[in-house]
Amino acid sequence: MGEATVAINPAAVAAKHKLATSFKRKGIVIALLSGLLYGFYTAFMTLGMSKGIWAEWYGENSGLSAFTVMYLLSAIGAATTDSCSAVWAVGIAGFRGRFKDFVRCIKTKPGLVMVAAAVIGGPLASTAYVVGLQLAGSLVVPIAALCPAVGAILGRILFKQELNARMLLGIAICFGASFMIGSTSLDGAGGPNLLIGLFFGFLAAVCWGIEGCVCGYGTSMIDPEIGITIRQVTAGFSNLFILVPLFGFIAHVDTFNMVTQSFSDSEAMIWFVLAGLSAYLTFMYWYKGNAMCGAALGMSCNGTFSFWGPFCCWIVLGIAMGMEGWAMPPVAWAAAIIMVIGIFIISMNPMDLFKNNEEAA
């Protein structure tokens, strides 16, 4: 007996291809939105750290030591933001009936991997990021956006992942763009603390690069919504109950009183609440975008925060709030755009975009 032949309906094939293309395009939009929301997270958190009790702490007559101002306040700011983000994550998980899934998953091996990654990306990276923002302003954002380049290098070293000529080119472009940003310190445009601030931005990139490598395992086995809840809760908890008390012990400061003041200051807290929501959504849309358009393209789209971060800070802090020091020199804007290009080259072959367009046509 001969094999039965199945007729393929060309219209059905075309409809399926059109649906897949539309799905991928929506994923790209969502992933780009994650980069934009990261910019608002940065702007809202920085704004919160300039209002109410924070204005007193950063004032000349605060009586706080240099260590307290630079490190402890940055840790408290990151802890306040991450805690708000954790509340948003747990609240949304509970509203969607998934809180039990969160409790169950956090006890598993992949869940513990997410916890370990969140400790690196939470108290360490977030605090370094905030220190950098306080010292060098929005110039730090593109430096922190080096995390995909750092992640690619660490992935090669730790997990023997591929690192081909195209990826090396993208890494070189990213680091070249970072040197362009660093060059702004040569004319004093970024202030006396610029280089120190950029160093902390790079430290944040390294920590986030490590987190990205480690989280690859956890997120492959845990639902993204649950994984992000684990990540945000761990980051908030470890910041609030480990790093802040540690810095307070070193500085001989009553951190309990300072944290209480931070959370009870209504003038500042509204911005921390918005920053926490933005942080939660940027991770949610990043993972959702990756699932819809592929991890490589999703990572590239999310990496556009190297541009959106300074842009949102300029709009929210510089224009809307009239705060000085948030305008970036032209060379820094150019470097931010160049870094976006470098991230795309690291994450995917640009020629694939043209191939997809030809297939869609």
Side-chain angles (χ1 to χ4, degrees):
M1 295 179 63
E3 295 182 358
T5 58
V6 179
I8 299 177
N9 188 335
V13 174
K16 180 181 178 180
H17 181 76
K18 183 177 180 181
L19 182 63
T21 301
S22 175
F23 186 76
K24 182 176 182 179
R25 287 174 178 170
K26 289 180 181 177
I28 292 173
V29 173
I30 290 173
L32 287 171
L33 186 59
S34 74
L36 175 61
L37 284 166
Y38 196 96
F40 281 112
Y41 146 66
T42 301
F44 289 143
M45 177 177 62
T46 305
L47 183 57
M49 293 178 69
S50 68
K51 299 293 184 180
I53 189 63
W54 291 89
E56 296 182 21
W57 286 339
Y58 280 110
E60 296 181 358
N61 300 321
S62 66
L64 298 176
S65 66
F67 177 89
T68 301
V69 171
M70 180 175 291
Y71 298 106
L72 179 58
L73 291 187
S74 296
I76 294 176
T80 305
T81 304
D82 286 343
S83 298
C84 290
S85 184
V87 172
W88 279 109
V90 171
I92 293 173
F95 178 78
R96 291 170 58 85
R98 309 204 63 185
F99 184 75
K100 290 184 178 179
D101 294 335
F102 158 69
V103 175
R104 176 179 55 83
C105 287
I106 202 171
K107 301 175 183 179
T108 64
K109 184 177 179 180
L112 293 176
V113 170
M114 291 292 293
V115 169
V119 170
I120 298 172
L124 299 181
S126 297
T127 300
Y129 184 59
V130 177
V131 171
L133 284 171
Q134 298 305 312
L135 293 176
S138 56
L139 289 173
V140 163
V141 182
I143 299 298
L146 284 169
C147 51
V150 174
I153 296 173
L154 292 175
R156 175 61 180 175
I157 296 173
L158 299 177
F159 304 114
K160 308 302 179 183
Q161 295 175 351
E162 181 184 12
L163 191 60
N164 55 34
R166 170 182 55 79
M167 298 172 72
L168 288 172
L169 173 62
I171 291 171
I173 291 174
C174 286
F175 279 97
S178 70
F179 280 117
M180 290 175 62
I181 295 172
S183 69
T184 59
S185 65
L186 298 178
D187 58 4
N193 296 319
L194 176 62
L195 288 180
I196 300 176
L198 295 182
F199 166 77
F200 278 101
F202 182 72
L203 181 60
V206 171
C207 292
W208 278 324
I210 295 173
E211 180 189 11
C213 290
V214 177
C215 275
Y217 169 77
T219 54
S220 67
M221 304 181 69
I222 296 178
D223 179 88
E225 184 175 334
I226 301 302
I228 291 167
T229 303
I230 294 174
R231 195 266 182 203
Q232 300 304 86
V233 169
T234 302
F237 184 90
S238 56
N239 254 323
L240 199 57
F241 297 103
I242 299 177
L243 192 64
V244 169
L246 175 61
F247 283 168
F249 175 77
I250 296 174
H252 304 288
V253 174
D254 181 5
T255 55
F256 179 81
N257 182 54
M258 295 184 72
V259 169
T260 301
Q261 287 180 293
S262 176
F263 278 95
S264 61
D265 191 314
S266 58
E267 185 181 359
M269 271 305 294
I270 181 62
W271 303 112
F272 282 115
V273 170
L274 290 175
L277 177 60
S278 299
Y280 170 76
L281 289 177
T282 191
F283 281 103
M284 274 296 299
Y285 288 147
W286 179 32
Y287 285 115
K288 186 175 181 180
N290 286 357
M292 295 177 70
C293 68
L297 187 54
M299 183 188 302
S300 300
C301 294
N302 176 263
T304 57
F305 81 81
S306 67
F307 171 81
W308 288 119
F311 181 81
C312 290
C313 287
W314 174 54
I315 294 295
V316 174
L317 303 174
I319 296 180
M321 294 297 171
M323 298 171 60
E324 297 182 359
W326 292 99
M328 294 217 314
V331 64
W333 285 112
I337 295 173
I338 291 173
M339 190 169 291
V340 171
I341 296 172
I343 292 170
F344 265 95
I345 293 175
I346 292 171
S347 304
M348 63 177 297
N349 187 342
M351 296 306 297
D352 291 341
L353 292 175
F354 297 100
K355 291 179 182 178
N356 291 336
N357 288 336
E358 290 174 359
E359 292 174 0

